[in-house]
Amino acid sequence: MSTYKFECLNVSISPEGVARVEISRPEALNAFNTQTWTEIGQCFTRFKVDGDVRSVVLSASGRMFTAGLDLKEAMTGPLSKPRDPDADVARKGYYHRLFILDFQSAISAVESCDKPVVVVVQGGCLGIGIDLISACDVRIATEDAYFMVKEVDIGMAADIGTLQRLPKIVGNDSWVREVCYTARKVTSKEAHFVGLVSNVYPTTAEALKAASDIAGTIAAKSPVAIVSTKHLLNYSRDHSVREGLEYTALWNTLAHNSHDMATAIVSSLKKQPANFPKL
């Protein structure tokens, strides 16, 4: 079984193939410093090629999912220190763009990881938290959860994925623009109503149990079928129906050669659970 050691993440993998990732900076309300988002990128990049991982439950320790960007580090860290203080604006901007792209890539690793990710949100989910959960497949919240696209309140536009993914998740352009322009608080009830989350539970324990059940069900399916489904859903979201169908035909030309199809059909006929080898 693979081992994952990080400073800001607690990671474990069950024998069934469910990986559990917990963001663990409770003393800082799980605010994202450079170390946190770097480790998320590294972790989910590894998950993509780790056959022991079939699905993922993502959560955070403490009373809040995340307070957003670590503003203390932002004032003293890479964002505030150009490579060459004497360089002109164009040269400083060139490297600042690369920093933003690295940040985007780390969070996008959650989406590009072909293993489905179920995220549990408790308490506040601010700023970068919306970027992160928007990159996940299934979102579950507790009753006390609330959501804020907070970036305008620190003088910037969200730049790590919220503005690109959130409109496609909820399908309500007016609502998305309102919450992004105003940075207002969105309750779990409202998040459920607009489709940002699929279910709301009274407590964190109940939400984690529900997430684990979903991830466990996914892990029991053919890994070829699951990674194919996630990959094709993501591709089809960003392309026309015709392009999605043509790409799916090409993809399944390969994927249909899996032994998993025969195993699944025989097990279904026998009304027995199927056992599929890892990817």
Side-chain angles (χ1 to χ4, degrees):
M1 186 70 69
S2 304
T3 57
Y4 292 76
K5 299 294 184 182
F6 296 106
E7 180 180 320
C8 302
L9 305 177
N10 297 323
V11 181
S12 63
I13 304 173
S14 74
E16 295 75 27
V18 177
R20 289 172 172 80
V21 179
E22 180 187 61
I23 303 168
S24 185
R25 295 191 75 219
E27 73 288 346
L29 297 178
N30 296 317
F32 272 55
N33 59 5
T34 303
Q35 185 70 25
T36 304
W37 61 257
T38 298
E39 289 183 357
I40 286 175
Q42 293 171 344
C43 181
F44 282 88
T45 297
R46 282 184 60 188
F47 281 169
K48 185 172 185 175
V49 295
D50 188 343
D52 290 326
V53 176
R54 299 186 182 218
S55 61
V56 184
V57 174
L58 174 62
S59 63
S61 61
R63 62 185 177 87
M64 177 179 280
F65 184 76
T66 178
L69 187 67
D70 188 328
L71 297 180
K72 291 182 179 179
E73 189 202 61
M75 298 296 292
T76 59
L79 283 172
S80 65
K81 295 179 181 178
R83 292 164 62 99
D84 181 359
D86 298 323
D88 61 28
V89 173
R91 287 169 173 78
K92 291 178 181 177
Y94 175 81
Y95 289 104
H96 187 68
R97 171 179 170 273
L98 295 181
F99 177 85
I100 295 172
L101 288 173
D102 283 345
F103 201 159
Q104 291 175 346
S105 179
I107 300 304
S108 291
V110 177
E111 180 180 82
S112 60
C113 170
D114 288 326
K115 318 302 172 60
V117 182
V118 184
V119 63
V120 174
V121 179
Q122 87 283 5
C125 179
L126 281 58
I128 182 63
I130 307 297
D131 296 310
L132 178 60
I133 69 168
S134 296
C136 296
D137 297 273
V138 179
R139 289 162 292 278
I140 292 174
T142 58
E143 289 182 352
D144 70 346
Y146 62 92
F147 308 81
M148 299 176 73
V149 183
K150 194 68 173 167
E151 281 80 356
V152 294
D153 280 349
I154 59 171
M156 60 174 284
D159 56 1
I160 310 298
T162 291
L163 303 186
Q164 292 70 38
R165 296 186 176 101
L166 190 58
K168 296 182 178 181
I169 291 170
V170 303
N172 185 329
D173 182 74
S174 176
W175 182 87
V176 170
R177 289 173 183 269
E178 177 198 340
V179 298
C180 291
Y181 295 155
T182 64
R184 72 169 177 84
K185 181 185 291 188
V186 175
T187 65
S188 59
K189 182 178 179 180
E190 183 180 359
H192 191 205
F193 177 77
V194 299
L196 177 58
V197 301
S198 55
N199 278 297
V200 177
Y201 292 88
T203 67
T204 301
E206 290 172 275
L208 286 169
K209 172 66 166 57
S212 295
D213 288 346
I214 294 169
T217 298
I218 293 169
K221 309 291 186 185
S222 158
V224 174
I226 292 297
V227 301
S228 294
T229 298
K230 176 170 180 176
H231 184 83
L232 293 171
L233 280 170
N234 287 345
Y235 182 92
S236 297
R237 177 198 61 194
D238 298 331
H239 295 79
S240 70
V241 173
R242 180 182 179 87
E243 290 169 331
L245 287 169
E246 290 179 349
Y247 184 77
T248 298
L250 181 62
W251 179 277
N252 272 353
T253 300
L254 174 65
H256 282 176
N257 288 284
S258 165
H259 295 305
D260 292 8
M261 290 184 67
T263 299
I265 291 170
V266 170
S267 296
S268 178
L269 293 173
K270 292 183 176 180
K271 302 186 183 306
Q272 296 176 345
N275 292 311
F276 302 101
K278 66 181 184 181
L279 195 64

